[in-house]
Amino acid sequence: MKLVISPSLLVFSLILVFSISCQGGATAAEPYLLKGKVTDVEGKPVEDAVIFIYQSTNTKKQPDFASPKSDREGRFRIALPPGKYWAVARVRKDEEVGPVPSRGRHSGEPAEIEMRGEGDVEKDFVVADIREIARMGAKTRREAVVMVAGRILDGDGKPVRMAYALAKKGGDLSEVPDYLSGWTDETGYYALYLPRGKYHLGAAASFPSDEGNLSFTEVIIDGDKKDIDIIMNTPFHNSQ
Amino acid sequence: MIRPIAIVFLLIAVQFPSTASATVLPSDTVWAGEVIVSEDVLVPAGITLTIKPGTTIRVALSDSTKMEPEFMSPLTEITIRGRLIAEGTKDAPISFNRVEGDGAGSWAGIIIDGGTAYLKSCTIQGAETGVYALNGALLVEDSLITKNQYGLVAEDKKTSAIIRNSLVTENDCGLLSLNGAGTDTSGSIISGNKKKDIYSSTAREHQRPLRQYSGDNKEPVRRYGDEVLLTDTIWRGNIEIDGIIRVPERVRLIVTPGTVVEFKKKDTNGDGIGENGLLIQGLLIAKGTLEKPIIFRSAEKDKAAGDWDAINIMNSNGAQNLVEYCQIENAYRALHFHFSRVMVNGAVIRNNYRGIQFQESSVEIRGSALYGNKSGVRARDSELVFEDNDVSGNYRGIDLFRDNLTARGNRLMSNLMEGVKVREGVSIFKENFIDGNRYGLMVTDSYYGNFERNALTNNAETGFSMKNMDNIEVLGNYISGNGFNGISVQNVRATIRGNHISANRERGIGIISFDGTITGNNLAKNGLYAIGLEGPGDVSAPLNWWGGDDLEKVIFDKNDESSRGQVLHERASADPFPYEWPFRTVPADITWGGDIVVQSATTVTPGSILTILPKTRVEFAEGSGLSVRGKIIAEGDRGGKITFTSLQKKGASDWDELLLDSANGSVIAHCVFEYATWGVHSHFTGLTVSDSLFRKNYGGMRFMSGPVEVKHSIFEGNYIGLRSYKGKALITENIITGNEIGIFVREKGGGLTVNRNNIFANSRYGIRVGDANDEDVNARENWWGTGNPSDAIFDGRREPDIGLVLYEPYLKEPYTLPENK
């Protein structure tokens, strides 16, 4: 059987092919979904986040697409035609575009996303504000030790300047205890970094110290502690 | 003839990818023919690099983020500390260019760092700076310097740059002359450069005291060669090291207060850098005190940077290494950490190639001074808490890459290149003072950033340069007096709010591309424009105060050139927004304008000048005041008084005082002082107060010593108008009325001349002499109102043994102030 192509059909086909090629090689396929979840640094879902989608790496302008706000489970979805995109997640309280307000959260460097036109694409985002990001980085470097911090106070409860906290393991008779903090300033603040465990904690105003004149209190350190005040020459006081 | 070793090096460099390591020429060297420079080249002192006529030098790009301490730029550079002779001819010129293609800024350029260079018939292009001369001597003849970012930069008064019969064209900037460099461009043409042809700027020299510690010069109690410390070791006294001391894991090196550690110079490879030092893989506790600091320095008689290697701390990330109240000098790198936890507190780090360098570490640097180094701090991939430090007089201040930074309360001043440079990472940057650098603060490629309540002032080029950033806040900063723009913005999304951006030489904000909001700012008295928009996108800038200027004149946008975007400036504020001064000091030359709020006792430090513009209002919070130990120029004018007042305006003593202490040269004119304890309080200061109003204070003005001149002013409604204590003053042509006591002479009134004033209707006395004053007071030719002048005077006539007020002859008619004539 001979295949007959009518001129009109041929013209239509040519038009169809031409119009497809004018779309930069994209097929006339329906858009698929970019979907995923927005969470915070602790993995909790974030509501009202918007995914801003750009067709170039320049993300400091009005987006080319923007998703509806994420739901209570942090889920979002947006239909996109095939192509390559860069996406950031932002959480804002009022307008949908523009800079993030001072308490807003952001997913950082844009994520590269390719919509191939073959199916939905999953992509999750973690949003954080600047302080959360800063804390994350600091914590990552302290996997082996914990931080014990507080103030060194005198008998009247006033901060002591130019003192330092010290921690020693039981029975340690070395001239210099195992762990020392830096000299305190007028706030009396100190911070010690030490492995989890049992210690004798104290404070001194001279270095090396005369341990005979110091008093120590036994403490068990099992995680970060921020308000362990030390009263010089008296048992320490936990202000929590 | 090219030395065989150099040929091999250069050929290998062509064969293999560029690395960050570099070449220090070990002996006099000649280049000829085609030369590919793929690594930094350093010509050290005493060595000459000669380049033959017809030589083509092609410099490869640097794709590394590393920069060794003895080098000056992250780009591939040719640095001359010795001598460069590049003598081409008309028929055989010498060419310096990048390896591939055209375009500026691919290599650093030729840097004269303390050396000398002679360039004849040379073409230099494609560089960040064609030739940069610092503390050196440069002679350029018959040459072409083109298609660089900067054609020529000459910096520092020890630099001499002679450019003869040369052409400097098609660069972004042609010639920059900074900080007193001597330049002579006879017969040369410097024109056709894209942004500017010639620019000159000199930061006023500040005599800031530089902290330093001293140590003993006793004989060493212990001498070391190469050694491994197998157990905890305590150092006391003087220690001499001629080797590398290694402290292995689980071992501590404890350095006690007052210890002096000296390193002998050992340079086995002839690169000029000493190799002795410390390698800490266990823990370092160097815990000095202010009274007994610890010193680490060279043992050589003529000490110099690079005499010894470094205090290296590697993989010590358990307990915190402590470097406290130490002075570290003459090293290659004073402190160098990898994968470690370190606190540096109260340290002085000076005269090293690099002060502090670290990567992948947790570092706190507090209360320290870094000066005289090639670079102050360089770090990557780390957490850094940087507080209350002084970083000044270095070549580069702070250079950070991919760090998590919290920087607060630092002073980054007078560094020859940038005060602070940040690339990627997270920055919380608050209440820092960045003044007098070439570039103040440069931040690129960051997605989180908070820049709040900083001062960016008097930097030779741009105060705050932002490029390729998102999610940034620029809040409440004071940005003034910078040479080009206060803020430069390219490809940035940010909130720029509540800043005071004034008196920058060109633009308050220069924008190439910006998406965000500029709002609630004071933009006043910038040299060319408040906002200059170069790109095609619109910029949202509602609700700013534009200094009372015509917006058409202070905004450059589509209205001026159709290819540019529009600055949308709706709802402009009619008045300045109150700006809260974020610091307790004024540590540089600063100009206040608009509405300034002072929340706490604030000091103008010695050597600094605070200038206050006409119509400025300075509002003091309860109990606050301003203490001037430098100089204050508060010169209003007839139509624009300067007002010093309180925030709450309840009554006398709302705020403390304007205190001048040895603040010679200060000027107070056309000012209003109200609601203070003392409006002006002056000690040991040569001072003129004129055309001012003192009202509703406890005391208008008090002074000790002098000489002081008070004229054409009004003192009314105070408890005491003026008070003198051992003063030397001329008080003339003023109105002193409605106070309880007009003038109180506490002691040594013989130094006063009070004449041609209207002293009347003060409720208790016009002049009251205190019990401790036994000298007569010259108060002739004043007008005392109606009645007998003696009724308005309390002196020796009423109380024995105190001085007399000599009031005769007295005026029969009131004196008329010049304003009322």
Side-chain angles (χ1 to χ4, degrees), chain B residues 239-309:
Chain B
I239 308 290
E240 184 183 274
I241 297 176
D242 190 4
I244 296 175
I245 304 292
R246 186 166 79 88
V247 179
E249 285 184 38
R250 298 194 186 82
V251 175
R252 300 182 301 171
L253 172 59
I254 296 156
V255 187
T256 57
T259 304
V260 176
V261 181
E262 292 190 322
F263 297 86
K264 292 182 76 70
K265 183 170 184 177
K266 178 161 74 182
D267 177 16
T268 57
N269 62 0
D271 64 357
I273 305 295
E275 289 142 21
N276 294 331
L278 302 182
L279 173 57
I280 311 290
Q281 295 165 308
L283 192 71
L284 173 66
I285 298 173
K287 201 167 179 68
T289 65
L290 193 56
E291 295 77 27
K292 297 173 83 177
I294 295 167
I295 310 292
F296 295 90
R297 66 187 180 201
S298 165
E300 304 302 302
K301 186 171 165 236
D302 295 317
K303 303 177 195 316
D307 275 356
W308 57 285
D309 179 38

Side-chain angles (χ1 to χ4, degrees), chain B residues 494-510:
Chain B
T495 300
I496 300 178
R497 187 177 70 229
N499 302 285
H500 189 96
I501 305 171
S502 66
N504 297 287
R505 258 166 89 162
E506 297 193 356
R507 296 162 202 80
I509 308 177

Side-chain angles (χ1 to χ4, degrees), chain B residues 160-207:
Chain B
S160 158
I162 300 171
I163 322 296
R164 283 203 196 113
N165 304 321
S166 297
L167 177 60
V168 182
T169 189
E170 290 187 65
N171 306 283
D172 287 351
C173 298
L175 167 65
L176 261 68
S177 173
L178 303 173
N179 295 323
T183 55
D184 175 355
T185 57
S186 313
S188 293
I189 297 172
I190 305 175
S191 70
N193 298 285
K194 293 173 203 163
K195 290 184 183 170
K196 45 182 97 251
D197 290 321
I198 298 175
Y199 174 76
S200 174
S201 168
T202 297
R204 196 173 71 86
E205 275 195 51
H206 250 282
Q207 298 301 325

Side-chain angles (χ1 to χ4, degrees), chain B residues 15 37 77 118 122 151 220 293 319 339 348 364 368 374 472 492 552 567 695 790 805:
Chain B
Q15 298 284 332
V37 174
E77 66 192 66
Y118 175 48
C122 293
F339 311 106
V348 173
E364 294 178 52
S368 298
K374 285 269 180 259
I472 303 296
V492 171
E552 294 306 312
V567 175
R695 64 181 176 198
S790 64
V805 175

Side-chain angles (χ1 to χ4, degrees), chain A residues 54 57-63 88 90 97-110 126-131 133-139 141-145 161-164 172 174-185 189 191 193-195 207-208, chain B residues 232 234 236 252 254-257 283 285-291 317-320 322 324-325 339 341 343 345 360-362 364 366 380-383 404 406 424 426-428 430 446-450 452 468-473 475 491-495 497 514-517:
Chain A
Y54 301 84
T57 54
N58 180 9
T59 59
K60 290 94 180 173
K61 63 182 180 75
Q62 298 297 304
V88 294
R90 297 193 179 104
V97 294
V100 186
S102 58
R103 300 236 168 93
R105 290 186 280 180
H106 187 275
S107 61
E109 197 164 345
V126 176
V127 291
D129 67 23
I130 188 170
R131 281 148 197 89
I133 287 287
R135 278 198 293 274
M136 261 172 58
K139 208 162 181 187
R141 294 200 193 286
R142 288 198 289 107
E143 287 162 0
V145 296
R161 193 177 172 278
M162 287 303 286
Y164 62 97
D172 172 60
S174 66
E175 186 173 347
V176 177
D178 300 295
Y179 302 96
L180 308 177
S181 75
W183 293 111
T184 54
D185 61 17
Y189 176 81
Y193 297 88
L194 60 178
F207 179 78
Chain B
D232 285 3
I234 297 178
R236 294 186 172 91
R252 300 182 301 171
I254 296 156
V255 187
T256 57
L283 192 71
I285 298 173
K287 201 167 179 68
T289 65
L290 193 56
E291 295 77 27
N317 62 357
Q320 194 174 45
L322 300 175
E324 297 192 276
Y325 293 95
F339 311 106
R341 189 186 321 284
M343 172 190 275
N345 178 23
E360 283 141 318
S361 296
S362 290
E364 294 178 52
R366 298 178 189 277
R380 69 170 181 88
D381 296 302
S382 297
E383 278 73 56
N404 193 331
T406 301
E424 299 187 35
V426 177
S427 301
I428 298 174
K430 289 188 176 181
S446 294
Y447 292 94
Y448 296 90
N450 175 255
E452 195 171 340
N468 198 31
M469 295 162 69
D470 194 359
N471 192 32
I472 303 296
E473 298 172 320
L475 309 173
N491 198 27
V492 171
R493 170 184 278 118
T495 300
R497 187 177 70 229
F514 177 75
D515 182 48
T517 309

